[in-house]
Amino acid sequence: MTEPARRERDRPWVFRTYSGHSSAEASNALYRTNLAKGQTGLSVAFDLPTQTGYDADHPLARGEVGKVGVPIGHLDDMEALFREIPLDQMNTSMTINATAAWLLALYVATGERQGVAPAQLRGTTQNDLIKEYLSRGTYVFPPEPSMRLISDMVAYTVHDIPKWNPINVCSYHLQEAGATPVQEIAYAMANAIAVLDAVRARDDVPEDVIPDVFGRMSFFLNAGIRFVEEICKGRAMTEMWDEIGRERYGVQDPKLRRFRYGVQVNSLGLTEAQPENNAIRIVLEALGVTFSKNARCRALQLPAWNEALGLPRPWDQQWSLRTQQILAFETDLLEYEDLFEGSHVVEAKVEELKKAAQEELDRVLGMGGAVAAVENAYMKQRLVESHTRRLRSIESGDLTVVGVNAYTETEPSPLVEGANAILKVDESAEREQIGRLDAFRARRNPTEVDAALQGLRDALANGQNVMPPSIRAAHAGVTTGEWADTLRKLFGEYRAPTGVVAREAQVTDEANEKVRARVRAVGATLGRPLKILVGKPGLDGHSNGAEQIAVKARDVGMEVVYDGIRLTPSEIVQSARDEGVHVIGLSILSGSHQILVMDVLEGLRSEGLEIPVIVGGIIPEDDAEKLRQHGVERVYTPKDFDLTRIMSEIVDVVGERHARD
């Protein structure tokens, strides 16, 4: 038998892994290793202080430096991050939003020091503040000045960095926050329209440039396990974006109307229980955005199989990269035209999604657009509600998750054995970053720094574009915190609506009624209703878990104090004291649980408060045991999906503490 003739293959998408940790030097080594293994683009993860505009020595940065990404405090850090990586040959994606203008300025300055002109740079800044208010939580400024910063970048790059995608409208985190496919489509389109309308309203962007602006807009999607539905979602967004470009913005060139998107497949569905199952989940989710040629992603990054356990090791990231390479080079996926063209099943589902998404988009536009729907909490409330429905479906068994609520019998996994099953960032990384920051400040020219910051203040006050003075500030030695503080003083800061609202009891099954009865009984013993404070210490903005705990606690009859994200341990202690709560629930997903939880415990002791503390997050068992040894009553991780059981155990904790007192 002869080997069948090989068909001509399409060029594969850009292979990326989302990575960065500890320091610029360590991340640079990881990037160069991954590029040597066949990765074709970089996707930079920044730590939370960098994302929220704090230097490593700021009190809010405590415990967060280098944990979920690389710390970048100044130009020397940026140069170290890209050492021996020629920026004129690289396509770099940077997941950065509130400080996107600053990180792009540092990237431009780094390129110039390499001898690379801005016009040669290729890549993407996420730069999507609207979804930050709805999901990921690394916003800093209010919506109006945030939109100004976004449009400044769009206006600047379309002329000066024409190969750069100045915004990556990111619906990925909307799905992580519970968005249905319809909501993901509608809110992404509403977000993009808000940005385009803001740019079109600028005096420095002529109308004839709008097609080019439209053509530089890119998207960042999520792909879940229902991969047939995800294929249809991609096709629906492709068609809707083409229609918006033609009808709303008059874009005549079909190439400029193309829906250009990258993907990170779903992390929400990755399980701590039987984590090896995540490998097949990731493959199926990758198919959802690669199968359909006419709606295929331009770039793809896959999570590691063990991300529900903690930070992936280089070997885990290699596994994710090899998954992409096998899909692209060993299968025949890239040898055929679109496999779904003419499918009545796919076409019907696409039309169904488009119709429902258009209705939701019109609803948002009717209330004034995406910014208004952030400020009035409409979109946030819809996401919290849909995420609540998903969790209740898992809890009830209506939604099967293998290894979690079905087929839970298991053999011990050899993949998670041993102390090195996940990557842990050494606490010394923070001290070393602060040392580098101090040394950098000592050797820069203070006069040049002061002049650059004054130039930035003047430009902002006069309504000028933020990018040119930011690039000058990068070269002058301004730090991330100094740049952001300058903007804070002008724009102020913002606390987005939580989306958690008081409602009548939503679940009335026997198990929930038993918990409600127990809550009432303990309240009678206490002399007042059981009261819980749900707190998010530090800079971790992933609030989905905290929101769902708050919703569930209210549902079973507890009084709830939940003030949203980004609280210091001392603020949590003060709130617990002032509100007279009976129990504190802390949610931390950034890996900073050891430091921040201990700070809360010490603060409670110093105030003489005997309030039990429970903790939830991505917490390895050895860390959980240490927390329990220091006084934490319960530790919950992603495997603890049964919120009714958690509520019952919170009642136990409060009742036991009251009995001891």
Side-chain angles (χ1 to χ4, degrees):
M1 181 180 293
T2 59
E3 180 77 12
R6 289 271 185 174
R7 295 173 178 265
E8 184 177 345
R9 301 173 65 85
D10 293 331
R11 177 187 295 180
W13 51 90
V14 176
F15 302 150
R16 289 191 172 121
T17 54
Y18 180 56
S19 55
H21 66 86
S22 300
S23 69
E25 291 80 4
S27 300
N28 172 261
L30 178 62
Y31 295 164
R32 288 189 286 112
T33 298
N34 286 345
L35 290 169
K37 292 176 180 176
Q39 184 174 306
T40 53
L42 293 178
S43 181
V44 181
F46 296 99
D47 73 352
L48 291 173
T50 305
Q51 293 185 52
T52 50
Y54 294 106
D55 287 332
D57 57 354
H58 192 281
L60 272 172
R62 176 171 161 76
E64 306 280 18
V65 176
K67 286 287 173 61
V68 298
V70 57
I72 299 295
H74 44 74
L75 184 54
D76 282 10
D77 281 345
M78 202 68 156
E79 284 195 282
L81 185 65
F82 292 103
R83 188 163 291 130
E84 298 182 36
I85 299 175
L87 297 190
D88 57 341
Q89 301 174 31
M90 185 50 54
N91 188 310
T92 302
S93 173
M94 295 192 284
T95 301
I96 197 75
N97 296 282
T99 55
W102 175 241
L103 270 296
L104 179 57
L106 289 172
Y107 193 78
V108 169
T110 298
E112 289 174 340
R113 288 197 175 183
Q114 285 189 3
V116 178
Q120 296 176 272
L121 299 176
R122 292 179 300 123
T124 302
T125 32
Q126 193 167 98
N127 198 25
D128 180 354
L129 267 300
I130 289 177
K131 64 89 179 166
E132 292 297 316
Y133 302 127
L134 299 175
S135 55
R136 194 160 168 267
T138 63
Y139 56 83
V140 176
F141 314 112
E144 185 177 343
S146 294
M147 291 299 292
R148 171 187 166 177
L149 293 175
I150 293 170
S151 67
D152 273 2
M153 289 180 64
V154 174
Y156 183 81
T157 55
V158 74
H159 294 296
D160 290 74
I161 320 177
K163 298 178 183 178
W164 195 264
N165 300 317
I167 182 171
N168 197 219
V169 177
C170 181
S171 63
Y172 170 85
H173 294 99
L174 301 182
Q175 188 179 124
E176 295 291 295
T180 64
V182 167
Q183 290 171 333
E184 188 176 348
I185 297 169
Y187 298 164
M189 295 299 164
N191 191 346
I193 287 171
V195 172
L196 285 165
D197 285 355
V199 173
R200 186 164 60 175
R202 294 175 65 102
D203 294 335
D204 58 348
V205 179
E207 187 67 28
D208 60 1
V209 175
I210 292 300
D212 293 325
V213 171
F214 192 92
R216 294 316 306 173
M217 297 279 286
S218 66
F219 289 76
F220 191 66
L221 273 57
N222 202 326
I225 193 66
R226 293 171 57 83
F227 73 93
V228 175
E229 190 171 60
E230 294 295 342
I231 289 169
C232 296
K233 181 185 77 179
R235 293 173 72 93
M237 294 182 84
T238 298
E239 293 180 15
M240 284 186 71
W241 186 241
D242 183 80
E243 293 167 6
I244 289 170
R246 185 176 61 252
E247 297 171 7
R248 187 181 182 98
Y249 297 103
V251 181
Q252 300 301 313
D253 186 344
K255 291 182 179 179
L256 295 178
R257 297 199 307 266
R258 284 189 296 202
F259 185 67
R260 300 180 308 113
Y261 74 99
V263 176
Q264 158 99 12
V265 306
N266 189 280
S267 293
L268 178 64
L270 300 182
T271 64
E272 180 185 11
Q274 299 180 21
E276 61 277 4
N277 296 344
N278 294 329
I280 187 60
R281 290 186 177 107
I282 290 166
V283 172
L284 293 172
E285 289 164 353
L287 288 177
V289 290
T290 56
F291 241 153
S292 176
K293 178 178 179 178
N294 293 347
R296 183 171 293 150
C297 65
R298 296 294 187 91
L300 179 61
Q301 57 194 44
L302 304 181
W305 66 279
N306 58 350
E307 286 194 16
L309 307 178
L311 289 176
R313 302 156 297 185
W315 182 85
D316 306 313
Q317 291 197 328
Q318 175 183 291
W319 191 354
S320 292
L321 177 60
R322 295 293 182 251
T323 298
Q324 291 202 58
Q325 291 166 330
I326 291 168
L327 186 61
F329 299 126
E330 291 192 24
T331 77
D332 56 355
L333 178 67
L334 297 176
E335 297 178 11
Y336 293 90
E337 294 302 309
D338 196 292
L339 302 175
F340 302 97
E341 199 69 27
S343 165
H344 68 277
V345 174
V346 170
E347 289 177 356
K349 184 63 178 177
V350 168
E351 287 305 312
E352 175 191 323
L353 290 172
K354 285 177 60 181
K355 182 175 184 295
Q358 188 63 55
E359 291 173 357
E360 183 67 2
L361 173 60
D362 290 342
R363 192 171 296 115
V364 171
L365 295 178
M367 63 181 64
V371 173
V374 165
E375 294 175 330
N376 67 18
Y378 172 78
M379 290 193 291
K380 182 64 173 178
Q381 288 177 15
R382 299 291 83 75
L383 294 176
V384 171
E385 290 167 359
S386 59
H387 194 36
T388 299
R389 287 193 295 271
R390 176 183 180 274
L391 291 180
R392 285 175 178 159
S393 296
I394 295 173
E395 190 175 354
S396 68
D398 291 340
L399 178 62
T400 297
V401 182
V402 173
V404 174
N405 64 355
Y407 310 108
T408 55
E409 305 80 5
T410 187
E411 297 295 328
S413 173
L415 293 175
V416 299
E417 293 178 354
N420 298 317
I422 57 172
L423 176 67
K424 289 189 178 182
V425 175
D426 194 283
E427 300 301 337
S428 64
E430 183 167 317
R431 295 192 300 272
E432 292 169 0
Q433 179 66 13
I434 292 173
R436 284 187 291 269
L437 177 64
D438 290 339
F440 177 82
R441 287 175 178 150
R443 65 176 177 268
R444 65 185 182 173
N445 185 321
T447 303
E448 292 181 5
V449 171
D450 291 344
L453 288 173
Q454 186 60 50
L456 179 62
R457 284 190 287 268
D458 291 343
L460 291 169
N462 294 328
Q464 296 169 353
N465 196 299
V466 73
M467 286 305 302
S470 294
I471 295 170
R472 288 194 294 272
H475 279 296
V478 168
T479 68
T480 296
E482 291 165 343
W483 180 89
D485 283 346
T486 301
L487 273 66
R488 283 186 177 95
K489 290 174 182 175
L490 179 66
F491 297 148
E493 294 190 78
Y494 185 70
R495 184 167 290 277
T498 66
V500 176
V501 296
R503 296 185 185 279
E504 295 296 322
Q506 300 293 301
V507 182
T508 57
D509 59 48
E510 182 179 353
N512 278 277
E513 289 299 336
K514 286 182 178 179
V515 176
R516 289 190 189 103
R518 296 192 65 214
V519 170
R520 289 193 296 270
V522 169
T525 302
L526 296 169
R528 58 189 176 90
L530 193 161
K531 195 171 189 179
I532 182 173
L533 184 153
V534 179
K536 289 286 296 177
L539 297 176
D540 170 31
H542 289 86
S543 59
N544 302 338
E547 291 159 0
Q548 294 307 314
I549 289 293
V551 168
K552 186 68 174 183
R554 281 182 176 164
D555 192 41
V556 298
M558 298 182 193
E559 291 189 0
V560 177
V561 178
Y562 176 58
D563 294 324
I565 63 172
R566 214 175 300 163
L567 300 171
T568 65
S570 62
E571 287 173 330
I572 290 172
V573 171
Q574 180 180 343
S575 179
R577 181 192 61 214
D578 295 346
E579 295 283 353
V581 302
H582 300 107
V583 61
I584 298 172
L586 302 178
S587 171
I588 306 173
L589 287 87
S590 64
S592 58
H593 44 267
Q594 292 284 49
I595 291 174
L596 295 178
V597 173
M598 291 304 301
D599 285 352
V600 171
L601 292 173
E602 290 173 7
L604 290 171
R605 292 181 187 124
S606 68
E607 292 285 337
L609 298 173
E610 297 290 333
I611 303 174
V613 174
I614 61 175
V615 179
I618 300 176
I619 303 173
E621 178 52 35
D622 56 341
D623 286 357
E625 182 57 32
K626 292 175 184 175
L627 293 176
R628 287 189 285 264
Q629 289 173 2
H630 283 92
V632 172
E633 296 283 351
R634 297 283 194 281
V635 177
Y636 297 102
T637 65
K639 71 178 183 298
D640 299 302
F641 69 93
D642 189 339
L643 297 186
T644 304
R645 175 180 65 82
I646 292 174
M647 292 299 119
S648 182
E649 292 180 2
I650 290 174
V651 176
D652 291 339
V653 167
V654 174
E656 291 166 4
R657 178 61 62 93
H658 180 68
R660 289 202 302 269
D661 295 343

